[in-house]
Amino acid sequence: MSVPASNAGWQKRSLAAVWHPCTQMQRAFTVPPLPIARGEGPWLIDQEGQRYFDATSSWWVNLFGHADAGINDAIKRQLDTLPHVMLAGCTHAPAVELAERLSALTGGVLGHAFYASDGASAVEIALKMSFHFWRNQGRADKREFVCLKHSYHGETLGALSVTDVAIFRDTYDPLLMRAHLAASPDARQAGPNETAADVATRAAADMRRLLSERHEHIAAVIVEPLIQCAAGMAMHDPSYLQALRQLCDEFGVHLIADEIAVGCGRTGTFFACEQAGIWPDFVCLSKGITAGYLPLSLVLTRDAVFEAFLDEDIARGFLHSHSYTGNALACTAALAVLDRFEQEGVLAANRERSQLLAEALAPLRGDPRIAHFRQQGTIFAFDVLEAYAPGRFAENFHLAGRERGLLIRPIGRTVYLMPPYVLDAPLAAWLGARVIETLDAVCARSTTESHADRAPDPTVA
């Protein structure tokens, strides 16, 4: 088959053969996908040689840029030795070493890793482990879960049951188990003279009310620590996590930390929970753990949870499995990621990078077109006021960004940046300027578009 020499050729083939995620395919015929030929550092290059800065790290997975030489070499070495072997009845060095090193990052509090392939799978595992733990303890009545309003934990049926984003959930609601919704600690809810900590206190009080009423039936609370990403980068005070840990201990309920998007240094510490000085009962990791190279997810849990499954009765064991569990190539990529954090002082360097980007975006502070300019670690976000967000705002911003060399995808009217950990002063200045230019261009568009064009914007992340 001949290879198209242009973007248009690949777009035509893709639309004929590929069902793209998070996409209304009818709309894709009007706004076709961007054909990427290769990646170099923070840049993605299309089939015609145009370069785009990957401002959202390819759905939050890319940590150190594309085609990183060090990670490439690690994977190539493993490829010549052992690409994969099933982890049922076998083991291998990359899986063992990765579990050991991640446990060490928790001070040994979370001592066992269960591997899977994607974030939703990790959430499914944590939910099942929690329920099965209580069942093995003779508490099968503890089968309910609590999530936060506007939370997002994935789109498989279990994960979707603890997700509160209507556009993903509503269609499949008849298939889902019921979960309790607790108040979100989103700091944007602060009233006059209130702080983010005040909002966190109110949300914790709502959680206390729920747990006091239903703790005999609740297995676990699941939370995205510090940032509810799909809710529009909704950030909250670390005190909420401290209160949540205390409440779960008080009422005998597990705490699941979904760090799939916020782990691996995104919030300023390797685990977001570190900023609250707490450890959950389960941590879910994925996305950045392999720096965007290979699918991998895992659940870290406490020894007490692991030990509750030890029994001669096989049915009391945790029999969940995936064919590619603990894939050796993916674990090797993750080990290379941990090497980078240890050897290059990534977290300290990220503080400097974030300061550079904060300075480049400083003109947006106080901009009358936006609200809630905010930052947590390497993640920046702001909400564009509806009056300045004509039509299909997220789509318009994405396309205007591409015209300026940016690959960026707002969540509704929330513009956010989650760049790879490669910024220097010139690149940070360039990125900030392009974002502001893109905002100027989109806000300058006529706001007299038809009501039909102002339908809810499904573009996310």
PDB file of all heavy atoms in Angstrom, residues 47-83:
ATOM      1  N   GLN A  47       3.283  15.112   9.314  1.00  0.00           N
ATOM      2  CA  GLN A  47       3.763  14.498   8.080  1.00  0.00           C
ATOM      3  C   GLN A  47       4.338  15.510   7.098  1.00  0.00           C
ATOM      4  O   GLN A  47       5.086  15.146   6.197  1.00  0.00           O
ATOM      5  CB  GLN A  47       2.617  13.726   7.406  1.00  0.00           C
ATOM      6  CG  GLN A  47       2.153  12.496   8.163  1.00  0.00           C
ATOM      7  CD  GLN A  47       3.159  11.360   8.104  1.00  0.00           C
ATOM      8  OE1 GLN A  47       3.976  11.278   7.196  1.00  0.00           O
ATOM      9  NE2 GLN A  47       3.092  10.459   9.079  1.00  0.00           N
ATOM     10  N   GLU A  48       4.020  16.784   7.305  1.00  0.00           N
ATOM     11  CA  GLU A  48       4.522  17.829   6.409  1.00  0.00           C
ATOM     12  C   GLU A  48       5.631  18.647   7.042  1.00  0.00           C
ATOM     13  O   GLU A  48       6.044  19.667   6.502  1.00  0.00           O
ATOM     14  CB  GLU A  48       3.356  18.723   5.975  1.00  0.00           C
ATOM     15  CG  GLU A  48       2.315  17.944   5.164  1.00  0.00           C
ATOM     16  CD  GLU A  48       1.075  18.758   4.841  1.00  0.00           C
ATOM     17  OE1 GLU A  48       0.974  19.918   5.316  1.00  0.00           O
ATOM     18  OE2 GLU A  48       0.202  18.234   4.132  1.00  0.00           O
ATOM     19  N   GLY A  49       6.117  18.189   8.213  1.00  0.00           N
ATOM     20  CA  GLY A  49       7.265  18.834   8.840  1.00  0.00           C
ATOM     21  C   GLY A  49       6.950  19.954   9.799  1.00  0.00           C
ATOM     22  O   GLY A  49       7.870  20.552  10.373  1.00  0.00           O
ATOM     23  N   GLN A  50       5.668  20.240  10.038  1.00  0.00           N
ATOM     24  CA  GLN A  50       5.298  21.293  10.985  1.00  0.00           C
ATOM     25  C   GLN A  50       5.503  20.796  12.402  1.00  0.00           C
ATOM     26  O   GLN A  50       5.132  19.676  12.752  1.00  0.00           O
ATOM     27  CB  GLN A  50       3.837  21.698  10.784  1.00  0.00           C
ATOM     28  CG  GLN A  50       3.342  22.756  11.733  1.00  0.00           C
ATOM     29  CD  GLN A  50       4.040  24.087  11.566  1.00  0.00           C
ATOM     30  OE1 GLN A  50       4.239  24.551  10.448  1.00  0.00           O
ATOM     31  NE2 GLN A  50       4.445  24.703  12.676  1.00  0.00           N
ATOM     32  N   ARG A  51       6.089  21.655  13.264  1.00  0.00           N
ATOM     33  CA  ARG A  51       6.404  21.288  14.639  1.00  0.00           C
ATOM     34  C   ARG A  51       5.351  21.860  15.597  1.00  0.00           C
ATOM     35  O   ARG A  51       4.888  22.987  15.425  1.00  0.00           O
ATOM     36  CB  ARG A  51       7.779  21.824  15.034  1.00  0.00           C
ATOM     37  CG  ARG A  51       8.928  21.105  14.366  1.00  0.00           C
ATOM     38  CD  ARG A  51      10.186  21.975  14.329  1.00  0.00           C
ATOM     39  NE  ARG A  51      10.612  22.403  15.644  1.00  0.00           N
ATOM     40  CZ  ARG A  51      11.474  21.722  16.424  1.00  0.00           C
ATOM     41  NH1 ARG A  51      11.970  20.567  16.001  1.00  0.00           N
ATOM     42  NH2 ARG A  51      11.854  22.188  17.598  1.00  0.00           N
ATOM     43  N   TYR A  52       5.021  21.062  16.624  1.00  0.00           N
ATOM     44  CA  TYR A  52       4.047  21.466  17.639  1.00  0.00           C
ATOM     45  C   TYR A  52       4.608  21.142  19.016  1.00  0.00           C
ATOM     46  O   TYR A  52       5.047  20.012  19.251  1.00  0.00           O
ATOM     47  CB  TYR A  52       2.720  20.721  17.452  1.00  0.00           C
ATOM     48  CG  TYR A  52       2.137  20.837  16.066  1.00  0.00           C
ATOM     49  CD1 TYR A  52       2.486  19.908  15.088  1.00  0.00           C
ATOM     50  CD2 TYR A  52       1.264  21.869  15.731  1.00  0.00           C
ATOM     51  CE1 TYR A  52       1.967  20.002  13.807  1.00  0.00           C
ATOM     52  CE2 TYR A  52       0.736  21.972  14.456  1.00  0.00           C
ATOM     53  CZ  TYR A  52       1.099  21.028  13.491  1.00  0.00           C
ATOM     54  OH  TYR A  52       0.590  21.129  12.228  1.00  0.00           O
ATOM     55  N   PHE A  53       4.547  22.109  19.912  1.00  0.00           N
ATOM     56  CA  PHE A  53       4.967  21.866  21.290  1.00  0.00           C
ATOM     57  C   PHE A  53       3.886  21.070  22.009  1.00  0.00           C
ATOM     58  O   PHE A  53       2.719  21.473  22.035  1.00  0.00           O
ATOM     59  CB  PHE A  53       5.225  23.191  22.018  1.00  0.00           C
ATOM     60  CG  PHE A  53       5.771  23.008  23.403  1.00  0.00           C
ATOM     61  CD1 PHE A  53       7.141  22.965  23.607  1.00  0.00           C
ATOM     62  CD2 PHE A  53       4.921  22.863  24.492  1.00  0.00           C
ATOM     63  CE1 PHE A  53       7.655  22.789  24.891  1.00  0.00           C
ATOM     64  CE2 PHE A  53       5.417  22.687  25.766  1.00  0.00           C
ATOM     65  CZ  PHE A  53       6.793  22.638  25.969  1.00  0.00           C
ATOM     66  N   ASP A  54       4.255  19.961  22.604  1.00  0.00           N
ATOM     67  CA  ASP A  54       3.308  19.066  23.267  1.00  0.00           C
ATOM     68  C   ASP A  54       2.982  19.621  24.654  1.00  0.00           C
ATOM     69  O   ASP A  54       3.515  19.182  25.669  1.00  0.00           O
ATOM     70  CB  ASP A  54       3.906  17.658  23.358  1.00  0.00           C
ATOM     71  CG  ASP A  54       2.897  16.615  23.785  1.00  0.00           C
ATOM     72  OD1 ASP A  54       1.754  16.984  24.104  1.00  0.00           O
ATOM     73  OD2 ASP A  54       3.257  15.419  23.801  1.00  0.00           O
ATOM     74  N   ALA A  55       2.065  20.589  24.687  1.00  0.00           N
ATOM     75  CA  ALA A  55       1.814  21.357  25.909  1.00  0.00           C
ATOM     76  C   ALA A  55       1.073  20.570  26.982  1.00  0.00           C
ATOM     77  O   ALA A  55       1.047  20.984  28.140  1.00  0.00           O
ATOM     78  CB  ALA A  55       1.029  22.621  25.568  1.00  0.00           C
ATOM     79  N   THR A  56       0.474  19.442  26.618  1.00  0.00           N
ATOM     80  CA  THR A  56      -0.245  18.626  27.602  1.00  0.00           C
ATOM     81  C   THR A  56       0.359  17.226  27.712  1.00  0.00           C
ATOM     82  O   THR A  56      -0.288  16.303  28.213  1.00  0.00           O
ATOM     83  CB  THR A  56      -1.740  18.529  27.239  1.00  0.00           C
ATOM     84  OG1 THR A  56      -1.874  17.998  25.919  1.00  0.00           O
ATOM     85  CG2 THR A  56      -2.398  19.906  27.299  1.00  0.00           C
ATOM     86  N   SER A  57       1.590  17.085  27.254  1.00  0.00           N
ATOM     87  CA  SER A  57       2.337  15.837  27.434  1.00  0.00           C
ATOM     88  C   SER A  57       1.583  14.617  26.915  1.00  0.00           C
ATOM     89  O   SER A  57       1.600  13.550  27.518  1.00  0.00           O
ATOM     90  CB  SER A  57       2.711  15.637  28.912  1.00  0.00           C
ATOM     91  OG  SER A  57       3.598  16.640  29.343  1.00  0.00           O
ATOM     92  N   SER A  58       0.894  14.806  25.783  1.00  0.00           N
ATOM     93  CA  SER A  58       0.186  13.689  25.146  1.00  0.00           C
ATOM     94  C   SER A  58      -0.731  12.959  26.126  1.00  0.00           C
ATOM     95  O   SER A  58      -0.586  11.764  26.382  1.00  0.00           O
ATOM     96  CB  SER A  58       1.164  12.721  24.476  1.00  0.00           C
ATOM     97  OG  SER A  58       1.756  13.330  23.350  1.00  0.00           O
ATOM     98  N   TRP A  59      -1.687  13.724  26.651  1.00  0.00           N
ATOM     99  CA  TRP A  59      -2.621  13.220  27.662  1.00  0.00           C
ATOM    100  C   TRP A  59      -1.897  12.877  28.950  1.00  0.00           C
ATOM    101  O   TRP A  59      -2.178  11.874  29.602  1.00  0.00           O
ATOM    102  CB  TRP A  59      -3.430  12.033  27.154  1.00  0.00           C
ATOM    103  CG  TRP A  59      -4.868  12.385  26.864  1.00  0.00           C
ATOM    104  CD1 TRP A  59      -5.531  13.519  27.225  1.00  0.00           C
ATOM    105  CD2 TRP A  59      -5.809  11.585  26.143  1.00  0.00           C
ATOM    106  NE1 TRP A  59      -6.829  13.483  26.768  1.00  0.00           N
ATOM    107  CE2 TRP A  59      -7.026  12.313  26.106  1.00  0.00           C
ATOM    108  CE3 TRP A  59      -5.740  10.342  25.531  1.00  0.00           C
ATOM    109  CZ2 TRP A  59      -8.169  11.821  25.475  1.00  0.00           C
ATOM    110  CZ3 TRP A  59      -6.875   9.857  24.907  1.00  0.00           C
ATOM    111  CH2 TRP A  59      -8.074  10.585  24.884  1.00  0.00           C
ATOM    112  N   TRP A  60      -0.898  13.714  29.300  1.00  0.00           N
ATOM    113  CA  TRP A  60      -0.311  13.732  30.637  1.00  0.00           C
ATOM    114  C   TRP A  60       0.662  12.588  30.876  1.00  0.00           C
ATOM    115  O   TRP A  60       1.046  12.323  32.017  1.00  0.00           O
ATOM    116  CB  TRP A  60      -1.394  13.744  31.718  1.00  0.00           C
ATOM    117  CG  TRP A  60      -2.588  14.596  31.407  1.00  0.00           C
ATOM    118  CD1 TRP A  60      -2.652  15.625  30.497  1.00  0.00           C
ATOM    119  CD2 TRP A  60      -3.887  14.516  31.978  1.00  0.00           C
ATOM    120  NE1 TRP A  60      -3.897  16.184  30.469  1.00  0.00           N
ATOM    121  CE2 TRP A  60      -4.696  15.523  31.371  1.00  0.00           C
ATOM    122  CE3 TRP A  60      -4.461  13.702  32.945  1.00  0.00           C
ATOM    123  CZ2 TRP A  60      -6.031  15.724  31.694  1.00  0.00           C
ATOM    124  CZ3 TRP A  60      -5.805  13.912  33.272  1.00  0.00           C
ATOM    125  CH2 TRP A  60      -6.577  14.897  32.655  1.00  0.00           C
ATOM    126  N   VAL A  61       1.124  11.935  29.812  1.00  0.00           N
ATOM    127  CA  VAL A  61       1.983  10.768  29.999  1.00  0.00           C
ATOM    128  C   VAL A  61       3.467  11.064  29.795  1.00  0.00           C
ATOM    129  O   VAL A  61       4.326  10.405  30.386  1.00  0.00           O
ATOM    130  CB  VAL A  61       1.579   9.602  29.055  1.00  0.00           C
ATOM    131  CG1 VAL A  61       0.147   9.195  29.305  1.00  0.00           C
ATOM    132  CG2 VAL A  61       1.792   9.962  27.584  1.00  0.00           C
ATOM    133  N   ASN A  62       3.788  12.040  28.958  1.00  0.00           N
ATOM    134  CA  ASN A  62       5.175  12.232  28.552  1.00  0.00           C
ATOM    135  C   ASN A  62       5.907  13.110  29.565  1.00  0.00           C
ATOM    136  O   ASN A  62       5.573  14.280  29.753  1.00  0.00           O
ATOM    137  CB  ASN A  62       5.223  12.856  27.158  1.00  0.00           C
ATOM    138  CG  ASN A  62       6.624  12.916  26.614  1.00  0.00           C
ATOM    139  OD1 ASN A  62       7.351  13.882  26.858  1.00  0.00           O
ATOM    140  ND2 ASN A  62       7.030  11.896  25.892  1.00  0.00           N
ATOM    141  N   LEU A  63       6.917  12.574  30.205  1.00  0.00           N
ATOM    142  CA  LEU A  63       7.637  13.328  31.241  1.00  0.00           C
ATOM    143  C   LEU A  63       8.885  14.018  30.731  1.00  0.00           C
ATOM    144  O   LEU A  63       9.175  15.152  31.119  1.00  0.00           O
ATOM    145  CB  LEU A  63       8.033  12.398  32.396  1.00  0.00           C
ATOM    146  CG  LEU A  63       6.935  11.726  33.204  1.00  0.00           C
ATOM    147  CD1 LEU A  63       7.535  11.041  34.435  1.00  0.00           C
ATOM    148  CD2 LEU A  63       5.864  12.709  33.620  1.00  0.00           C
ATOM    149  N   PHE A  64       9.659  13.343  29.896  1.00  0.00           N
ATOM    150  CA  PHE A  64      10.996  13.843  29.556  1.00  0.00           C
ATOM    151  C   PHE A  64      11.172  14.102  28.064  1.00  0.00           C
ATOM    152  O   PHE A  64      12.286  14.149  27.566  1.00  0.00           O
ATOM    153  CB  PHE A  64      12.052  12.835  30.031  1.00  0.00           C
ATOM    154  CG  PHE A  64      11.998  12.574  31.512  1.00  0.00           C
ATOM    155  CD1 PHE A  64      11.623  11.341  32.001  1.00  0.00           C
ATOM    156  CD2 PHE A  64      12.287  13.580  32.419  1.00  0.00           C
ATOM    157  CE1 PHE A  64      11.563  11.104  33.364  1.00  0.00           C
ATOM    158  CE2 PHE A  64      12.223  13.361  33.781  1.00  0.00           C
ATOM    159  CZ  PHE A  64      11.859  12.118  34.265  1.00  0.00           C
ATOM    160  N   GLY A  65      10.075  14.311  27.365  1.00  0.00           N
ATOM    161  CA  GLY A  65      10.152  14.548  25.939  1.00  0.00           C
ATOM    162  C   GLY A  65      10.071  13.250  25.159  1.00  0.00           C
ATOM    163  O   GLY A  65      10.255  12.160  25.690  1.00  0.00           O
ATOM    164  N   HIS A  66       9.793  13.391  23.888  1.00  0.00           N
ATOM    165  CA  HIS A  66       9.634  12.235  23.017  1.00  0.00           C
ATOM    166  C   HIS A  66      10.994  11.740  22.525  1.00  0.00           C
ATOM    167  O   HIS A  66      11.920  12.518  22.313  1.00  0.00           O
ATOM    168  CB  HIS A  66       8.754  12.607  21.822  1.00  0.00           C
ATOM    169  CG  HIS A  66       7.374  13.038  22.228  1.00  0.00           C
ATOM    170  ND1 HIS A  66       6.351  12.149  22.468  1.00  0.00           N
ATOM    171  CD2 HIS A  66       6.856  14.271  22.465  1.00  0.00           C
ATOM    172  CE1 HIS A  66       5.261  12.808  22.817  1.00  0.00           C
ATOM    173  NE2 HIS A  66       5.548  14.102  22.829  1.00  0.00           N
ATOM    174  N   ALA A  67      11.075  10.422  22.348  1.00  0.00           N
ATOM    175  CA  ALA A  67      12.288   9.781  21.831  1.00  0.00           C
ATOM    176  C   ALA A  67      13.508  10.121  22.681  1.00  0.00           C
ATOM    177  O   ALA A  67      14.587  10.428  22.166  1.00  0.00           O
ATOM    178  CB  ALA A  67      12.516  10.175  20.365  1.00  0.00           C
ATOM    179  N   ASP A  68      13.342  10.053  23.993  1.00  0.00           N
ATOM    180  CA  ASP A  68      14.447  10.332  24.912  1.00  0.00           C
ATOM    181  C   ASP A  68      15.520   9.248  24.783  1.00  0.00           C
ATOM    182  O   ASP A  68      15.222   8.043  24.867  1.00  0.00           O
ATOM    183  CB  ASP A  68      13.911  10.358  26.344  1.00  0.00           C
ATOM    184  CG  ASP A  68      14.996  10.572  27.365  1.00  0.00           C
ATOM    185  OD1 ASP A  68      15.382  11.729  27.577  1.00  0.00           O
ATOM    186  OD2 ASP A  68      15.470   9.566  27.932  1.00  0.00           O
ATOM    187  N   ALA A  69      16.746   9.663  24.600  1.00  0.00           N
ATOM    188  CA  ALA A  69      17.822   8.700  24.310  1.00  0.00           C
ATOM    189  C   ALA A  69      18.030   7.709  25.448  1.00  0.00           C
ATOM    190  O   ALA A  69      18.231   6.502  25.214  1.00  0.00           O
ATOM    191  CB  ALA A  69      19.121   9.456  24.022  1.00  0.00           C
ATOM    192  N   GLY A  70      17.995   8.171  26.690  1.00  0.00           N
ATOM    193  CA  GLY A  70      18.246   7.279  27.813  1.00  0.00           C
ATOM    194  C   GLY A  70      17.178   6.210  27.963  1.00  0.00           C
ATOM    195  O   GLY A  70      17.480   5.026  28.174  1.00  0.00           O
ATOM    196  N   ILE A  71      15.918   6.602  27.861  1.00  0.00           N
ATOM    197  CA  ILE A  71      14.836   5.624  27.975  1.00  0.00           C
ATOM    198  C   ILE A  71      14.833   4.713  26.758  1.00  0.00           C
ATOM    199  O   ILE A  71      14.601   3.499  26.875  1.00  0.00           O
ATOM    200  CB  ILE A  71      13.486   6.337  28.165  1.00  0.00           C
ATOM    201  CG1 ILE A  71      13.518   7.188  29.442  1.00  0.00           C
ATOM    202  CG2 ILE A  71      12.347   5.315  28.245  1.00  0.00           C
ATOM    203  CD1 ILE A  71      12.279   8.031  29.662  1.00  0.00           C
ATOM    204  N   ASN A  72      15.105   5.275  25.595  1.00  0.00           N
ATOM    205  CA  ASN A  72      15.223   4.438  24.395  1.00  0.00           C
ATOM    206  C   ASN A  72      16.242   3.322  24.602  1.00  0.00           C
ATOM    207  O   ASN A  72      15.985   2.145  24.307  1.00  0.00           O
ATOM    208  CB  ASN A  72      15.674   5.277  23.197  1.00  0.00           C
ATOM    209  CG  ASN A  72      14.575   6.170  22.651  1.00  0.00           C
ATOM    210  OD1 ASN A  72      13.432   6.105  23.095  1.00  0.00           O
ATOM    211  ND2 ASN A  72      14.932   7.007  21.695  1.00  0.00           N
ATOM    212  N   ASP A  73      17.407   3.682  25.111  1.00  0.00           N
ATOM    213  CA  ASP A  73      18.478   2.693  25.286  1.00  0.00           C
ATOM    214  C   ASP A  73      18.087   1.609  26.286  1.00  0.00           C
ATOM    215  O   ASP A  73      18.379   0.426  26.083  1.00  0.00           O
ATOM    216  CB  ASP A  73      19.770   3.386  25.734  1.00  0.00           C
ATOM    217  CG  ASP A  73      20.407   4.210  24.621  1.00  0.00           C
ATOM    218  OD1 ASP A  73      20.038   4.001  23.450  1.00  0.00           O
ATOM    219  OD2 ASP A  73      21.263   5.059  24.928  1.00  0.00           O
ATOM    220  N   ALA A  74      17.428   2.008  27.376  1.00  0.00           N
ATOM    221  CA  ALA A  74      17.020   1.026  28.378  1.00  0.00           C
ATOM    222  C   ALA A  74      16.047   0.015  27.783  1.00  0.00           C
ATOM    223  O   ALA A  74      16.166  -1.207  28.012  1.00  0.00           O
ATOM    224  CB  ALA A  74      16.388   1.733  29.574  1.00  0.00           C
ATOM    225  N   ILE A  75      15.099   0.491  27.014  1.00  0.00           N
ATOM    226  CA  ILE A  75      14.118  -0.409  26.404  1.00  0.00           C
ATOM    227  C   ILE A  75      14.788  -1.312  25.366  1.00  0.00           C
ATOM    228  O   ILE A  75      14.482  -2.510  25.277  1.00  0.00           O
ATOM    229  CB  ILE A  75      12.974   0.403  25.769  1.00  0.00           C
ATOM    230  CG1 ILE A  75      12.165   1.108  26.862  1.00  0.00           C
ATOM    231  CG2 ILE A  75      12.069  -0.494  24.930  1.00  0.00           C
ATOM    232  CD1 ILE A  75      11.128   2.063  26.340  1.00  0.00           C
ATOM    233  N   LYS A  76      15.719  -0.767  24.600  1.00  0.00           N
ATOM    234  CA  LYS A  76      16.417  -1.583  23.590  1.00  0.00           C
ATOM    235  C   LYS A  76      17.210  -2.707  24.243  1.00  0.00           C
ATOM    236  O   LYS A  76      17.232  -3.839  23.743  1.00  0.00           O
ATOM    237  CB  LYS A  76      17.339  -0.689  22.756  1.00  0.00           C
ATOM    238  CG  LYS A  76      16.617   0.254  21.807  1.00  0.00           C
ATOM    239  CD  LYS A  76      17.600   1.209  21.149  1.00  0.00           C
ATOM    240  CE  LYS A  76      16.891   2.234  20.282  1.00  0.00           C
ATOM    241  NZ  LYS A  76      17.831   3.239  19.720  1.00  0.00           N
ATOM    242  N   ARG A  77      17.855  -2.411  25.360  1.00  0.00           N
ATOM    243  CA  ARG A  77      18.614  -3.459  26.051  1.00  0.00           C
ATOM    244  C   ARG A  77      17.682  -4.554  26.559  1.00  0.00           C
ATOM    245  O   ARG A  77      17.982  -5.753  26.428  1.00  0.00           O
ATOM    246  CB  ARG A  77      19.410  -2.860  27.222  1.00  0.00           C
ATOM    247  CG  ARG A  77      20.593  -2.000  26.782  1.00  0.00           C
ATOM    248  CD  ARG A  77      21.507  -1.695  27.964  1.00  0.00           C
ATOM    249  NE  ARG A  77      20.833  -0.951  29.023  1.00  0.00           N
ATOM    250  CZ  ARG A  77      20.771   0.374  29.075  1.00  0.00           C
ATOM    251  NH1 ARG A  77      21.329   1.123  28.128  1.00  0.00           N
ATOM    252  NH2 ARG A  77      20.141   0.973  30.089  1.00  0.00           N
ATOM    253  N   GLN A  78      16.554  -4.155  27.127  1.00  0.00           N
ATOM    254  CA  GLN A  78      15.603  -5.155  27.619  1.00  0.00           C
ATOM    255  C   GLN A  78      14.998  -5.950  26.471  1.00  0.00           C
ATOM    256  O   GLN A  78      14.735  -7.155  26.594  1.00  0.00           O
ATOM    257  CB  GLN A  78      14.494  -4.473  28.420  1.00  0.00           C
ATOM    258  CG  GLN A  78      13.513  -5.433  29.075  1.00  0.00           C
ATOM    259  CD  GLN A  78      14.182  -6.321  30.117  1.00  0.00           C
ATOM    260  OE1 GLN A  78      15.033  -5.870  30.870  1.00  0.00           O
ATOM    261  NE2 GLN A  78      13.799  -7.589  30.149  1.00  0.00           N
ATOM    262  N   LEU A  79      14.798  -5.301  25.331  1.00  0.00           N
ATOM    263  CA  LEU A  79      14.213  -5.962  24.169  1.00  0.00           C
ATOM    264  C   LEU A  79      15.048  -7.151  23.719  1.00  0.00           C
ATOM    265  O   LEU A  79      14.520  -8.173  23.261  1.00  0.00           O
ATOM    266  CB  LEU A  79      14.065  -4.949  23.031  1.00  0.00           C
ATOM    267  CG  LEU A  79      13.366  -5.419  21.755  1.00  0.00           C
ATOM    268  CD1 LEU A  79      11.917  -5.795  22.037  1.00  0.00           C
ATOM    269  CD2 LEU A  79      13.426  -4.313  20.705  1.00  0.00           C
ATOM    270  N   ASP A  80      16.346  -7.042  23.871  1.00  0.00           N
ATOM    271  CA  ASP A  80      17.241  -8.134  23.460  1.00  0.00           C
ATOM    272  C   ASP A  80      17.299  -9.258  24.484  1.00  0.00           C
ATOM    273  O   ASP A  80      17.885 -10.308  24.217  1.00  0.00           O
ATOM    274  CB  ASP A  80      18.657  -7.588  23.235  1.00  0.00           C
ATOM    275  CG  ASP A  80      18.757  -6.723  21.989  1.00  0.00           C
ATOM    276  OD1 ASP A  80      17.947  -6.932  21.066  1.00  0.00           O
ATOM    277  OD2 ASP A  80      19.633  -5.841  21.954  1.00  0.00           O
ATOM    278  N   THR A  81      16.713  -9.035  25.658  1.00  0.00           N
ATOM    279  CA  THR A  81      16.813 -10.024  26.737  1.00  0.00           C
ATOM    280  C   THR A  81      15.483 -10.725  27.007  1.00  0.00           C
ATOM    281  O   THR A  81      15.374 -11.946  26.916  1.00  0.00           O
ATOM    282  CB  THR A  81      17.290  -9.345  28.034  1.00  0.00           C
ATOM    283  OG1 THR A  81      18.521  -8.682  27.777  1.00  0.00           O
ATOM    284  CG2 THR A  81      17.482 -10.378  29.142  1.00  0.00           C
ATOM    285  N   LEU A  82      14.444  -9.934  27.335  1.00  0.00           N
ATOM    286  CA  LEU A  82      13.140 -10.507  27.670  1.00  0.00           C
ATOM    287  C   LEU A  82      12.066  -9.444  27.450  1.00  0.00           C
ATOM    288  O   LEU A  82      11.855  -8.589  28.303  1.00  0.00           O
ATOM    289  CB  LEU A  82      13.120 -10.962  29.137  1.00  0.00           C
ATOM    290  CG  LEU A  82      11.783 -11.534  29.636  1.00  0.00           C
ATOM    291  CD1 LEU A  82      11.472 -12.869  28.970  1.00  0.00           C
ATOM    292  CD2 LEU A  82      11.788 -11.676  31.160  1.00  0.00           C
ATOM    293  N   PRO A  83      11.364  -9.482  26.321  1.00  0.00           N
ATOM    294  CA  PRO A  83      10.298  -8.505  26.104  1.00  0.00           C
ATOM    295  C   PRO A  83       9.101  -8.716  27.033  1.00  0.00           C
ATOM    296  O   PRO A  83       8.519  -7.761  27.540  1.00  0.00           O
ATOM    297  CB  PRO A  83       9.887  -8.727  24.643  1.00  0.00           C
ATOM    298  CG  PRO A  83      11.058  -9.415  24.022  1.00  0.00           C
ATOM    299  CD  PRO A  83      11.647 -10.268  25.105  1.00  0.00           C
TER     300      PRO A  83
END
